[in-house]
Amino acid sequence: MTTADDPFLAVPEGARHRALAELSAKGPVHRMRLATGADAWVVTGHAEAKAVLTDPRVVRSGASHMPFGDEMPPELLRALSFNLLTTDPPDHTRLRRLVSAAFTRRRVEGLTPRIEAICADLLDGLEARLAADGEADLITAFAGPLPITVICELLGVPAASHADVRAWAGPLLAGRFAGYEAFSHAAEEIVELVRGLAAEKRRAPADDLLSALVTVDGDRLSEDELTSMVYLLLIAGHETTVNLIANGVNVLFAHPDQLALLRAEPERLPAAVEEILRFDSPTQVTIPAITAEPVEVAGQLIPAGENVVVALLAVNRDPSRFDEAGVFDVGREVAGHLAFGHGIHHCLGAPLARLEARIALGGLLERFGDLEPADGTLERLPSLLINRLAVLPVRRAVPA
Ligand code: HEM
């Protein structure tokens, strides 16, 4: 298999879905070599994915999957690797309890006015750019800055550092594809930022999540747990949502009938966001887990000590779970997609991601009744984790 038809790395628009559909047609679980060089069992069946993600014998693996784990200074590796995604109970339960209250649907709904205000500012900027240049990259101008501003404000990262965090997210998510220098530089910078902010907030706590984490009574985080937690929240908390918004606009452009329906009936937006999550999931795979003992999946015995990942793009188009799985339909009853994962690692930020996407897509459709794709070839960025367009050029339609 070459990169051109790799189900996780293929760059041409649509190629990953095609490769995954071929793979899924052969069965729900496959042994293959991932782009990281590691061999893994890749689960493409929906029911099998749910089984694996709730099986206590399939455990997370600490730092072992961190890109450049063998080359990075151990102290830096530790500062990133003790997070929710890489731990199992009881550590996972303790860490998740510390942050779960900040991300409940009710708490998150309270952010609505602020997210609307950020969105309105960005739409003003987009309008100005379209007027000046005729076209703009929707990701740079809109889908990118919205989630980074929201998660940074929630954590208490000052505005002066938002662009840096956004820039570091690229190499941190690209992992091996970024190269060691870029990856380790971004890792060092983000850890230094978090340590500096934590020290400041210990001295003078503010009304933000980082202050709450450093001043928590009793169940304190170790220094490595604190940096790992904030690193995860900053990175998982924005790049994924960027892709939800951008993939959403892209898929609506590709389905003008569905776009017209949504414009005519904006109350369909929450269902449309779920369908976008299902149809072109922002995250491609769950973090690699390891079988602590032999596990049988769909009649296939996976020995102990093997890597297991769930291919989210595939399970969300599993024809045995979703009727006409390859059809994009904003009117579909779409409960049950696994775009936010499943089990104890189910996405902590799902309510926030949904709220941001509704506000962003709703605001965009309301303000720009005439937005359309500009010329250019659409391509996906190579990354094992993320299903992200490189750029999404847009323009305003010329009136007929
Ligand atoms: C559309 C946007 C998002 C998508 C598609 C998404 C997807 C996911 C997925 C698939 C997982 C599980 C991964 C696994 O099992 O290995 C996950 C976990 C997680 N997500 Fe999200 N996410 C999104 C937005 C956010 C946001 C806004 C936050 C901000 C707080 C966030 C924070 C987390 C955290 C902390 C975890 C780890 C939970 C745990 O292990 O207990 N995510 N996300």
Side-chain angles (χ1 to χ4, degrees):
M1 190 186 300
T2 64
T3 309
D5 53 9
D6 184 290
F8 306 109
L9 296 185
V11 166
E13 178 62 344
R16 293 180 197 178
H17 282 293
R18 282 192 294 278
L20 283 165
E22 273 177 33
L23 196 62
S24 304
K26 294 180 192 154
V29 55
H30 318 265
R31 183 155 164 85
M32 55 190 282
R33 178 148 300 172
L34 300 179
T36 53
D39 290 322
W41 293 87
V42 174
V43 179
T44 54
H46 188 277
E48 293 76 11
K50 282 177 81 172
V52 159
L53 292 172
T54 47
D55 191 325
R57 296 168 300 173
V58 183
V59 298
R60 298 296 164 127
S61 46
S64 68
H65 285 288
M66 189 63 99
F68 307 108
D70 300 339
E71 293 155 71
M72 282 217 288
E75 191 245 12
L76 181 58
L77 194 62
R78 279 200 308 276
L80 302 173
S81 331
F82 289 103
N83 63 50
L84 289 168
L85 275 175
T86 54
T87 49
D88 297 295
D91 283 337
H92 175 268
T93 321
R94 176 175 57 85
L95 293 175
R96 185 137 176 159
R97 199 180 304 129
L98 283 169
V99 282
S100 53
F103 292 97
T104 58
R105 178 128 55 102
R106 244 181 85 226
R107 276 290 281 281
V108 160
E109 294 287 337
L111 300 173
T112 302
R114 179 65 192 134
I115 300 176
E116 284 175 346
I118 299 168
C119 183
D121 275 354
L122 290 169
L123 289 173
D124 288 346
L126 177 63
E127 187 162 1
R129 202 169 297 191
L130 288 171
D133 301 338
E135 66 173 67
D137 170 23
L138 193 80
I139 298 180
T140 315
F142 182 64
L146 176 66
I148 191 71
T149 311
V150 173
I151 194 70
C152 282
E153 287 189 0
L154 207 149
L155 276 158
V157 176
S161 299
H162 293 189
D164 285 339
V165 177
R166 176 122 187 81
W168 300 329
L172 289 171
L173 278 163
R176 295 214 149 257
F177 302 99
Y180 177 71
E181 287 305 319
F183 183 87
S184 61
H185 173 74
E188 270 166 26
E189 294 283 331
I190 203 162
V191 168
E192 197 184 308
L193 174 78
V194 176
R195 285 192 181 137
L197 286 174
E200 255 173 50
K201 286 171 198 288
R202 270 189 200 107
R203 278 195 303 274
D207 183 17
D208 56 50
L209 183 55
L210 183 46
S211 298
L213 287 174
V214 294
T215 55
V216 70
D217 283 334
D219 211 359
R220 293 241 164 165
L221 293 167
S222 71
E223 272 308 297
D224 286 336
E225 286 172 344
L226 180 71
T227 45
S228 301
M229 172 82 84
V230 178
Y231 152 76
L232 175 65
L233 291 173
L234 283 174
I235 302 304
H238 92 270
E239 186 67 24
T240 43
T241 313
V242 175
N243 302 326
L244 173 54
I245 298 168
N247 290 355
V249 173
N250 181 46
V251 77
L252 286 166
F253 280 159
H255 297 81
D257 58 326
Q258 299 296 303
L259 177 57
L261 184 60
L262 199 54
R263 283 196 198 284
E265 299 173 24
E267 64 281 7
R268 289 181 182 269
L269 199 53
V273 169
E274 297 309 305
E275 177 65 344
I276 294 162
L277 282 159
R278 182 194 74 82
F279 188 79
D280 202 13
S281 310
T283 308
Q284 300 193 133
V285 291
T286 52
I287 297 297
I290 292 186
T291 45
E293 50 188 274
V295 173
E296 197 179 307
V297 183
Q300 171 69 56
L301 191 69
I302 303 182
E306 299 270 306
N307 295 316
V308 179
V309 300
V310 170
L312 296 168
L313 297 189
V315 303
N316 286 334
R317 291 195 186 189
D318 180 344
S320 64
R321 176 61 181 79
F322 301 103
D323 291 338
E324 298 197 274
V327 174
F328 178 69
D329 174 5
V330 301
R332 170 194 296 272
E333 288 289 326
V334 80
H337 70 71
L338 303 185
F340 289 121
H342 185 67
I344 61 167
H345 295 282
H346 180 269
C347 179
L348 173 77
L352 179 58
R354 288 182 162 119
L355 180 67
E356 287 183 46
R358 283 177 206 159
I359 293 174
L361 293 173
L364 194 70
L365 295 186
E366 196 182 301
R367 176 85 79 99
F368 298 98
D370 55 354
L371 204 66
E372 65 175 22
D375 299 333
T377 310
L378 290 179
E379 291 191 331
R380 300 271 156 180
L381 287 181
S383 152
L384 182 61
L385 274 178
I386 292 291
N387 177 26
R388 201 202 130 158
L389 286 165
V391 289
L392 180 54
V394 297
R395 66 181 174 213
R396 306 192 84 153
V398 182

